């Protein structure tokens, strides 16, 4: 029987970042270019109204949990959500210089150094359980926001996280953090951070090392740090054009930036060919809850004018807004106006999906044998 050809590699594909090369399976989620993100076959639109732990259960077990299963799972996470005092002390000894993602990746690595039982499945759950505390320790420490209070995981996964942040909180902020968390758990297997986490795991490095590496991959401006850059872009547009800017003025602004060879942030995606449904969820949220916020009105104008202008360029394959175009604006409107920590919030969520994907790669793929070490081939090219 002839093997099905999935992809034909030509020399044109070399040095192009493996874009679109099928390399394996992803069981947790998939991204449809037209319909967007699905976790275990369920659309993100539906999942955006669920409890975070219910969504994590779905990702972890591959099925929707019953009420009693979710309650038991929640209890399991609470039981595991403990960081030893000495681990906390090492995290708080990290230098404050550098981007918060440097500290986050290091903190995860530190937690791994004290883990006695290096089992991928066990570690994935414990990591998921302790991530909100690790993230809050890093943010409070790096930002000089004050001493992190004791963790109270029984308050709820994101409720505890927001309470651990020593910044003014509100029900709206908790709601936005929950939504942000759910929308960022997973995005197929091919995005850089997931691929890196899986690749590092393929060398049989432990879960914490693989996730730490994945967080470094996420930290780059072409990947996770785009959400920070996007809010800074929306803020710049607001300061350049003022609160009362009309859509016509925003369109002119975009055209001028493009003419001056300057970047427009928050548009396009490697896979999607429509507006990112995660962005649509956040735009709808922003219109409903923060309709008069100046950042929201500029972000809404950028959404419309950006797509219009970019669509005129035949070289742009996806002129639509992505989630980063609006997620930071919603966080800022809800009271979390700290763009420097947006990528860390992305990492706090994405580590969940990556950890579960690593469990598949290590323990379930190829009838339980696991995937072999990642080892592609580079063609030798002699220096000229
Ligand atoms: C995303 O969440 O959009 C991704 O991680 C980026 C990607 O899929 O390449």
């Amino acid at each position: 029987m002839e093997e099905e050809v999935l992809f034909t590699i030509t020399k044109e594909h070399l040095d192009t970042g493996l874009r679109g090369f099928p390399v394996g399976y992803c069981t947790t989620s998939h991204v449809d270019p037209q319909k967007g993100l699905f976790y275990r076959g369920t659309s993100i639109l539906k999942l955006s109204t669920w409890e975070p732990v219910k969504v994590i259960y779905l990702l972890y077990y591959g099925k929707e949990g019953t009420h009693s299963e979710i309650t038991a799972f929640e209890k399991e996470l609470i039981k595991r959500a403990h960081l030893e005092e000495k681990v906390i002390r090492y995290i708080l000894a990290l230098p404050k210089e550098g981007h918060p993602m440097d500290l986050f990746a290091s903190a995860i690595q530190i937690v791994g150094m004290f883990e006695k039982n290096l089992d991928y499945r066990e570690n994935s759950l414990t990591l998921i359980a302790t991530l909100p505390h690790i993230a809050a320790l890093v943010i409070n420490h790096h930002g000089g926001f004050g001493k992190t209070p004791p963790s109270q995981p029984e308050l709820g996964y994101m409720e505890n996280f927001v309470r651990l942040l020593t910044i003014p909180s509100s029900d709206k902020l908790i709601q936005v953090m929950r939504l942000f968390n759910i929308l960022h758990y997973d995005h197929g297997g091919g995005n850089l951070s997931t691929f890196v986490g899986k690749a590092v795991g393929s060398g049989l490095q432990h879960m914490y090392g693989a996730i730490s590496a994945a967080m470094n991959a996420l930290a780059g401006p072409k990947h996770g740090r785009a959400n920070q850059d996007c809010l800074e872009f929306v803020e710049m547009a607001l300061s350049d054009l003022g609160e009362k800017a009309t859509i016509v003025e925003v369109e002119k602004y975009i055209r001028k930036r493009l003419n001056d060879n300057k970047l427009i942030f928050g548009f396009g995606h490697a896979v999607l060919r429509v507006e990112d449904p995660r962005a649509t969820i956040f735009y709808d949220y922003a219109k409903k809850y923060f309709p008069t916020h100046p950042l929201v009105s500029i972000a809404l104008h950028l959404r419309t004018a950006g797509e219009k202008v970019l669509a005129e360029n035949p070289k742009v394959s996806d002129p639509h807004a992505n989630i980063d175009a609006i997620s930071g604006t919603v966080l800022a409107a809800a009271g979390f106006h700290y763009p420097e920590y947006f990528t860390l919030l992305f990492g706090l969520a994405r580590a969940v999906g990556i950890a579960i994907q690593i469990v598949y790669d290590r323990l379930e793929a190829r009838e339980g044998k696991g995937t072999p070490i990642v080892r592609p081939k580079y063609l030798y090219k002699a220096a000229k």
Side-chain angles (χ1 to χ4, degrees):
M1 199 177 73
E2 261 194 38
E3 285 288 329
E4 187 189 351
V5 177
L6 295 174
F7 198 85
T8 311
I9 298 172
T10 68
K11 281 204 165 170
E12 293 303 303
H13 290 105
L14 302 181
D15 284 345
T16 58
L18 286 171
R19 180 158 287 225
F21 284 44
V23 289
Y25 294 98
C26 173
T27 58
T28 48
S29 65
H30 75 278
V31 185
D32 181 286
Q34 303 299 325
K35 298 191 189 124
L37 176 60
F38 291 75
Y39 292 162
R40 301 276 191 184
T42 303
S43 140
I44 196 66
L45 288 172
K46 179 167 175 199
L47 298 173
S48 62
T49 60
W50 288 18
E51 287 290 315
V53 171
K54 189 173 171 185
V55 183
I56 297 175
Y57 183 99
L58 173 75
L59 284 165
Y60 195 80
Y61 289 106
K63 66 175 181 87
E64 193 175 329
T66 61
H67 181 71
S68 62
E69 284 168 334
I70 306 285
T71 310
F73 185 60
E74 203 156 17
K75 281 199 184 130
E76 183 61 35
L77 290 179
I78 293 170
K79 202 174 81 195
R80 289 170 182 264
H82 175 71
L83 289 177
E84 284 182 60
E85 271 311 312
K86 65 179 173 210
V87 174
I88 296 179
R89 274 203 306 277
Y90 281 113
I91 294 176
L92 297 180
L94 284 168
K96 293 182 187 176
E97 284 78 9
H99 193 274
M101 284 302 278
D102 297 339
L103 279 81
F104 190 48
S106 308
I108 292 170
Q109 191 85 37
I110 289 172
V111 176
M113 290 180 205
F114 291 92
E115 183 61 70
K116 290 170 202 83
N117 170 17
L118 291 175
D119 170 275
Y120 289 107
R121 208 181 291 278
E122 284 290 316
N123 293 168
S124 68
L125 264 193
T126 308
L127 182 66
I128 292 169
T130 47
L131 274 170
H133 194 183
I134 302 172
L137 283 166
V138 168
I139 294 175
N140 293 335
H141 171 60
H142 183 274
F145 293 144
K147 190 168 160 24
T148 306
S151 179
Q152 282 180 256
E154 58 288 352
L155 292 179
Y157 195 66
M158 290 313 282
E159 286 75 0
N160 182 37
F161 172 66
V162 175
R163 199 195 54 89
L164 286 171
L165 295 176
T166 46
I167 54 159
S169 171
S170 67
D171 288 350
K172 230 354 57 20
L173 182 59
I174 293 174
Q175 202 177 60
V176 167
M177 287 284 191
R178 282 158 53 106
L179 185 57
F180 186 98
N181 203 241
I182 292 169
L183 299 184
H184 286 86
Y185 285 145
D186 211 33
H187 212 250
N191 60 82
L192 182 68
S193 48
T194 306
F195 179 71
V196 166
K198 284 150 73 80
V200 172
S202 80
L204 301 189
Q205 164 63 318
H206 52 70
M207 179 63 84
Y208 295 88
I211 297 294
S212 173
M215 292 302 104
N216 273 305
L218 188 72
K222 291 236 168 176
H223 193 8
R225 216 180 75 200
N227 63 4
Q228 168 178 347
D229 296 341
C230 278
L231 179 69
E232 287 165 356
F233 176 62
V234 177
E235 281 177 328
M236 185 174 64
L238 178 62
S239 113
D240 288 346
L241 298 170
E243 283 190 25
K244 304 232 155 31
T246 62
I247 182 105
V248 176
E249 285 162 341
V250 173
E251 186 180 325
K252 263 198 207 145
Y253 183 74
I254 292 175
R255 288 191 192 283
K256 165 133 184 37
R257 278 187 70 85
L258 290 174
N259 280 338
D260 295 346
N261 282 325
K262 290 193 180 142
L263 292 174
I264 302 296
F265 294 86
F267 293 87
H269 194 274
V271 183
L272 295 165
R273 292 298 169 263
V274 289
E275 180 174 279
D276 185 341
R278 298 170 302 172
T280 312
I281 292 168
F282 264 143
Y283 281 123
D284 291 348
Y285 189 93
K287 282 196 274 188
K288 183 160 176 197
Y289 293 107
F290 309 113
T292 57
H293 196 286
L295 282 170
V296 171
S297 50
I298 285 283
L300 288 169
H301 284 342
L302 285 168
R303 171 199 201 182
T304 314
E307 179 174 329
K308 178 179 171 201
V309 174
L310 292 172
E312 290 166 8
N313 182 347
K315 288 201 197 119
V316 175
S317 52
D318 178 31
H320 310 283
N322 58 45
I323 186 168
D324 300 325
I326 179 68
S327 61
T329 294
V330 174
L331 283 169
F336 192 82
H337 204 139
Y338 307 99
E340 223 187 337
Y341 301 107
F342 288 176
T343 312
L344 202 154
L345 297 182
F346 187 166
L348 164 64
R350 184 56 59 86
V352 170
I354 301 176
I356 300 171
Q357 292 204 39
I358 291 175
V359 171
Y360 165 80
D361 270 20
R362 302 286 26 95
L363 306 175
E364 294 162 11
R366 303 167 86 224
E367 281 83 46
K369 288 201 296 281
T371 56
I373 187 165
V374 169
R375 205 327 182 167
K377 173 175 173 159
Y378 282 78
L379 306 184
Y380 176 64
K381 185 174 180 184
K384 285 195 187 131

